[in-house]
Amino acid sequence: MAEKKILTKDFGAPGLAHLAGYEQTGGYQAYQKALKELQPDALVEMVKKSGLRGRGGAGFGTGQKWSFLPKGVYPRYLVINADESEPGCFKDRYLLEASPHQVVEGLLIAAFAIGCNLAFIYIRGEYLPQHEALEWALAEARQAGYIGKNVLGSGFDVDVILHRGAGAYICGEETALLTSLEGYRGEPRLKPPFPAIKGLYGKPTVVNNVETVATLPHIVSNGPDWFATIGTETGKGTRLWCMSGHVNRPGNYEMEMGAPIRELIYDLGGGVWKNRKLKAFQPGGASMMVLLPQHLDVGLDFDAIQKAGSLAGAGAMVVMDETTCMVDMCRRYVEFFHHESCGKCTPCREGTFWMTNVLTRIEEGEGKAGDADLLLEMGNNIDGRSFCPLGDASTWFPRSCIKYFRDEFEQHVTEHACPFRKERVMVA
Amino acid sequence: MSLSQATVEKIQDYARRYPSAQSAILPALWAVQHEVGYVTSDGMREVAQHLGLPASLVEATSSFYSMYLTRPEGRHDAVMCVNVACALRGAEELFAYCEQRLGIRDGQTTSDGAITLRSTIECLGACGGAPMMQIDHRFEEDLTPERVNAIFERLRTEPAPSPEPPRPAAVPPTPTPAAKAAPKRPAGGSRPREKKADT
Ligand SMILES: Cc1cc2nc3c(=O)[nH]c(=O)nc-3n(C[C@H](O)[C@H](O)[C@H](O)COP(=O)(O)O)c2cc1C
Ligand code: SF4
Ligand code: FES
């Protein structure tokens, strides 16, 4: 099966990154339709009916999230989360680079729908070319009258501020993002109150992912019923999957929700590189649990992946061949979480430090009998006890690896060395 | 030290644009880094003064974010991601090659001041093009030793990137692919975050 392209269908059209090129593909028609023919409430209903779920990680219903905003409380803010830094994810980057106007149009539709007059885009500091693409797109949209006062005579006023982060993964978490946008250290806040009630500057706020809003123009143009026919019962539309690792053709692929993982890895990705065997793969990004070849027929959709024991997260697919050392992968990921822990709460700050230590000693052949169980115990003390999902998630990949590859952990200990080192050196 | 009039005006403009002047801290620190090359405590004090905030607040915020540099660096910044997806495709081995090629270790600057080299486990969003580097925040993907050699060769002689990304004029010119193809290069760096003091 091929890709199913909705968001990426015009990618490659000449000048798509600029207004004229984007308008030639029908760009900003949906925004104009929304302004002229639809009322904000009708738009919220439309998005609810489409079944669109957020693409930033949690998969929460977008229309539902919007409808949590308390009636009559203004100003309200919309913040587009372009902080993409989950290891394995590079889809928002692709969308921003190839078609920044599609993201801007989606943002404007969302702002109109929720009654927001000042929207923000929080983009990670490392995404400089994407920052520039957005800056141009915003300037062009402003010049065309899509952003400003009384947009196209509709009475709708809207402005957009592009805000550059400065290197902190935790700022992708929505409450940390808002704290950061207010000019503080990017530490998460307690929920509830949820941002919809008390968000940016204490006002009702919606945080939406880049891909989520990029989908909106298509829903407005083609209708919610059309959108709801694509995908599965509980996962509508398409998703971008960022595939990386030991696969012949890594990259971004847009697929219908529910298409089997096998198609992504084998048909689109060309299978495992160097004629090697598939050992494991990890959907969702750094946080998510590992899956095995026996899961290849699982559908690419929130619920199916969850049923298989992992999570779809932000749509990453990291492929690992038979030469991969799972202990080493665990060590790297947990080190990453330790590095990115904001330090606010002890289970995450200390726990990720100790887990990194134990994983490092196992990988270096200095592990002790019972280290795998020690890791599980540490995991239990972090997961559910951390202040925000970063701490919890730091334990998911290693615990799933111990579940499926416990013998590998033990082999490291009994052989006092990493059994994969030899092959890894040969790769180099 | 004191900031140029242009930078000060930029900071004041940020302060007006946001609903709260405090939100202007991050963009103001970027403006300082663009002018000076890094963020000193003097720079932070000036930011605080122009935003009407206590200096301690600006310092507390600044120290949380890894991309504000605290000391001068090489003319160019080369950062390689070695997190999982990149490691699977040989990033670590290629990084060792870079160190050897430049004769420096992770975090150091070449003696001619041309290149500061770093590895990071902060995913840089180019996992599909691993092994990858960001050179002055521009993506270089699908790297090989040969490509790395060519990049380093170029950086040896190339001047420092221009501190400002191109800002579209209030009325942008009719954009052409060519206009977009030659963006100016900004300064800055994505250095691995320092470990928290208490761990
Ligand atoms: C540690 C952490 C990092 C996150 N990073 C991102 C991110 O980079 N981009 C993103 O859109 N959502 C990220 N999220 C999810 C956001 O908190 C939030 O759910 C999302 O932006 C909501 O948008 P959506 O409803 O459109 O999915 C992250 C969550 C956590 C816990
Ligand atoms: S779980 Fe980690 S990242 Fe989240 S608040 Fe605690 S220390 Fe910070
Ligand atoms: S893991 Fe290296 S760029 Fe994403």
Side-chain angles (χ1 to χ4, degrees):
Chain A
M1 199 177 88
E3 291 180 83
K4 180 158 182 84
K5 296 187 177 184
I6 296 175
L7 274 66
T8 60
K9 77 173 165 5
D10 297 313
F11 282 24
L16 188 66
H18 292 293
L19 186 70
Y22 182 64
E23 283 183 331
Q24 238 148 43
T25 66
Y28 289 106
Q29 294 294 325
Y31 181 43
Q32 297 191 34
K33 177 176 167 185
L35 290 174
K36 287 181 189 142
E37 297 168 23
L38 293 160
Q39 293 301 313
D41 287 349
L43 270 168
V44 176
E45 281 314 308
M46 184 185 237
V47 173
K48 260 193 193 163
K49 199 167 163 214
S50 75
L52 174 66
R53 291 169 68 175
R55 306 301 198 227
F60 198 81
T62 305
Q64 205 184 347
K65 190 190 262 188
W66 293 357
S67 61
F68 289 157
L69 292 168
K71 292 242 171 309
V73 186
Y74 294 91
R76 295 163 164 193
Y77 296 111
L78 170 68
V79 183
I80 304 307
N81 190 341
D83 194 53
E84 179 171 77
S85 351
E86 175 87 6
C89 295
F90 47 96
K91 67 184 175 71
D92 295 341
R93 170 189 162 196
Y94 180 51
L95 291 171
L96 291 170
E97 221 166 72
S99 188
H101 278 288
Q102 180 173 245
V103 177
V104 172
E105 183 178 9
L107 172 158
L108 294 171
I109 291 170
F112 179 63
I114 67 168
C116 155
N117 305 115
L118 179 59
F120 297 83
I121 305 173
Y122 188 106
I123 186 166
R124 70 181 296 198
E126 290 87 348
Y127 277 5
L128 192 72
Q130 295 70 25
H131 185 281
E132 289 166 10
L134 269 177
E135 220 169 21
W136 278 92
L138 289 170
E140 288 179 330
R142 202 164 275 135
Q143 191 198 15
Y146 295 142
I147 297 173
K149 296 244 177 277
N150 188 19
V151 175
L152 310 175
S154 65
F156 174 55
D157 297 343
V158 66
D159 201 1
V160 184
I161 294 181
L162 180 58
H163 187 86
R164 186 178 181 196
Y169 163 73
I170 187 59
C171 292
E173 193 281 328
E174 57 184 10
T175 63
L177 185 149
L178 298 176
T179 319
S180 172
L181 191 43
E182 289 174 3
Y184 295 96
R185 299 167 72 82
E187 290 175 1
R189 301 174 183 170
L190 197 64
K191 290 195 276 194
F194 288 92
I197 310 296
K198 201 161 176 276
L200 189 62
Y201 310 121
K203 300 290 185 229
T205 302
V206 166
V207 181
N208 273 145
N209 171 256
V210 166
E211 187 184 351
T212 309
V213 292
T215 312
L216 295 173
H218 305 280
I219 295 177
V220 171
S221 293
N222 301 309
D225 297 325
W226 162 82
F227 192 77
T229 59
I230 304 162
T232 66
E233 198 52 46
T234 53
K236 299 301 183 190
T238 58
R239 252 194 115 156
L240 264 78
W241 286 92
C242 325
M243 188 157 50
S244 60
H246 293 155
V247 66
N248 280 313
R249 288 192 294 272
N252 273 295
Y253 297 99
E254 185 177 2
M255 297 187 82
E256 182 165 359
M257 288 274 192
I261 292 173
R262 185 186 297 280
E263 278 175 17
L264 174 61
I265 297 179
Y266 286 91
D267 298 353
L268 298 172
V272 180
W273 73 346
K274 303 184 181 180
N275 285 320
R276 295 208 189 122
K277 278 218 297 280
L278 178 66
K279 178 172 188 174
F281 52 88
Q282 185 198 20
S287 314
M288 303 314 173
M289 304 77 168
V290 72
L291 293 177
L292 304 177
Q294 72 203 51
H295 298 117
L296 275 172
D297 293 308
V298 169
L300 287 162
D301 133 65
F302 300 105
D303 296 347
I305 292 179
Q306 186 166 9
K307 221 184 276 160
S310 188
L311 291 165
M317 181 61 72
V318 185
V319 179
M320 300 169 189
D321 74 16
E322 55 191 326
T323 67
T324 313
C325 171
M326 302 314 280
V327 176
D328 191 32
M329 297 302 110
C330 290
R331 178 180 63 85
R332 265 169 222 274
Y333 274 147
V334 178
E335 199 184 346
F336 165 77
F337 286 113
H338 169 56
H339 187 269
E340 297 300 326
S341 163
C342 81
K344 179 176 174 133
C345 70
T346 317
C348 167
R349 187 187 61 233
E350 301 293 324
T352 52
F353 171 72
W354 288 111
M355 276 179 80
T356 306
N357 272 3
V358 174
L359 284 162
T360 305
R361 87 175 174 219
I362 302 175
E363 175 61 13
E364 289 177 354
E366 288 153 16
K368 302 193 175 89
D371 269 358
D373 289 311
L374 180 60
L375 284 168
L376 290 180
E377 198 188 309
M378 289 173 163
N380 287 335
N381 284 324
I382 301 171
D383 193 4
R385 294 195 163 88
S386 296
F387 186 82
C388 89
L390 186 148
D392 299 341
S394 72
T395 69
W396 298 344
F397 182 79
R399 286 197 288 173
S400 69
C401 285
I402 295 172
K403 175 167 139 202
Y404 292 126
F405 300 100
R406 182 183 271 272
D407 50 343
E408 218 169 273
F409 285 74
E410 279 157 11
Q411 203 183 345
H412 276 77
V413 175
T414 51
E415 292 180 9
H416 301 291
C418 171
F420 295 92
R421 271 297 157 182
K422 242 185 356 235
E423 282 144 276
R424 294 240 328 280
V425 172
M426 269 160 52
V427 171
Chain B
M1 182 202 70
S2 99
L3 297 168
S4 71
Q5 189 56 29
T7 302
V8 171
E9 275 167 20
K10 218 185 291 168
I11 292 171
Q12 288 165 341
D13 179 49
Y14 293 140
R16 278 190 295 270
R17 206 182 306 166
Y18 287 88
S20 136
Q22 190 172 337
S23 284
I25 292 180
L26 258 57
L29 291 170
W30 276 121
V32 172
Q33 181 151 314
H34 285 151
E35 184 186 324
V36 186
Y38 53 101
V39 178
T40 59
S41 31
D42 282 348
M44 287 188 269
R45 253 194 303 278
E46 278 198 61
V47 164
Q49 188 194 323
H50 295 302
L51 297 180
L53 299 166
S56 57
L57 178 62
V58 175
E59 277 172 35
T61 297
S62 172
S63 62
F64 187 81
Y65 299 91
S66 65
M67 290 179 77
Y68 298 123
L69 305 176
T70 51
R71 58 191 162 93
E73 300 257 316
R75 274 204 320 277
H76 301 283
D77 207 49
V79 187
M80 185 178 289
C81 167
V82 296
N83 205 325
V84 167
C86 289
L88 290 172
R89 294 184 83 97
E92 210 150 62
E93 291 80 0
L94 194 63
F95 188 75
Y97 175 83
C98 293
E99 287 181 316
Q100 188 205 343
R101 179 83 192 175
L102 295 176
I104 52 176
R105 302 304 300 269
D106 197 346
Q108 295 180 337
T109 303
T110 51
S111 55
D112 61 355
I115 303 168
T116 302
L117 177 72
R118 282 200 185 83
S119 73
T120 179
I121 49 171
E122 227 166 292
C123 166
L124 293 171
C127 332
M132 62 79 61
M133 277 202 270
Q134 272 201 326
I135 303 291
D136 301 324
H137 294 177
R138 308 279 156 187
F139 290 91
E140 297 284 356
E141 304 184 29
D142 300 312
L143 292 175
T144 57
E146 295 72 42
R147 291 208 45 219
V148 163
N149 292 350
I151 291 167
F152 289 161
E153 218 39 55
R154 166 166 70 76
L155 297 183
R156 290 278 187 197
T157 51
E158 205 170 87
S162 158
E164 274 301 272
R167 250 156 242 291
V171 178
T174 313
T176 61
K180 187 74 182 70
K184 283 191 246 155
R185 293 163 162 268
S190 155
R191 105 199 121 105
R193 194 118 61 91
E194 257 130 37
K195 292 268 178 281
K196 268 117 238 141
D198 56 345
T199 51

